Amino acid sequence: MTKLLLRVVLPLLAGGALLTGCTSTQGGTASPAQSPSASESGAPETSSSSSAGGGTESITDACSLIEMSDLSSYGEFNPPQSQTISGARSCKYQKKIASASDKSMVIGANIRDTASVAQVNDTGGGVVDKEINGRQAKEAPGGGSVDGCTLALPVGDSSRVDVAVIGVGSADEACQIAEAVAKAAVEPRLPKG
């Protein structure tokens, strides 16, 4: 009988006590703890990217960087889709497929408020320097079976806008389209600075 008490009843009582401790409620609204400001912590205050040469904060909508008419030479596209992907404000245009031989091209603009062009990821084809309408950009063509390309345009010192193209058959073709869209549509609409 004592063994039964130790093996069954005592663990049930202990478990019940733990659950009771975890279910107590407290009135109010949950909110994250406030971290001390730079002046309270003794750390020097730093300037934002917008004061360091213009940033992406003034771009309120990624879809304002590419319009349907900018893509007319590549075929007919579905209306743009806005979304947030991995912290980037994005807008993508997917090409309408008219026949089985059509490629399912996607062209997009991704606003990266906290990533500079120096942080462009190598997707298998290296990262190369490009100049787009006087801006020093970085291009990352896909490697191997990746038929895409990302062209990163700097906006200030610590932010960028990526023009991405996928689904066209080859990374070279994707990069040609990304460069053309960047030169004609995206770069002229970016903040100068």
Side-chain angles (χ1 to χ4, degrees):
M1 180 76 171
T2 306
K3 287 185 180 182
L4 177 64
L5 179 67
L6 291 174
R7 286 186 181 167
V8 176
V9 176
L10 193 55
L12 287 174
L13 289 174
L18 286 174
L19 288 175
T20 302
C22 292
T23 60
S24 67
T25 60
Q26 182 175 354
T29 304
S31 63
Q34 297 294 322
S35 60
S37 69
S39 59
E40 291 173 358
S41 66
E45 292 189 30
T46 58
S47 63
S48 70
S49 61
S50 61
S51 64
T56 54
E57 294 85 9
S58 65
I59 306 169
T60 58
D61 180 15
C63 291
S64 69
L65 298 173
I66 301 174
E67 297 177 359
M68 295 282 276
S69 61
D70 298 327
L71 305 178
S72 61
S73 63
Y74 305 107
E76 190 176 352
F77 285 79
N78 292 314
Q81 295 179 332
S82 291
Q83 54 194 354
T84 300
I85 303 172
S86 301
R89 294 176 285 140
S90 299
C91 181
K92 71 175 185 178
Y93 291 84
Q94 176 132 17
K95 185 177 179 183
K96 289 183 179 180
I97 307 254
S99 71
S101 63
D102 281 353
K103 296 174 183 157
S104 62
M105 180 186 340
V106 177
I107 299 175
N110 304 307
I111 302 170
R112 300 188 183 279
D113 296 314
T114 60
S116 70
V117 292
Q119 296 170 301
V120 173
N121 291 326
D122 180 350
T123 55
V127 175
V128 295
D129 292 330
K130 290 286 179 176
E131 184 178 318
I132 304 296
N133 300 345
R135 284 186 201 256
Q136 296 304 310
K138 298 277 186 184
E139 187 174 79
S145 63
V146 178
D147 66 346
C149 184
T150 298
L151 180 67
L153 301 163
V155 183
D157 296 332
S158 60
S159 57
R160 71 179 199 246
V161 171
D162 296 344
V163 178
V165 179
I166 59 170
V168 295
S170 74
D172 287 341
E173 186 180 359
C175 286
Q176 290 171 6
I177 294 169
E179 288 178 36
V181 171
K183 285 178 182 175
V186 177
E187 193 285 330
R189 293 181 177 120
L190 295 178
K192 307 297 181 213

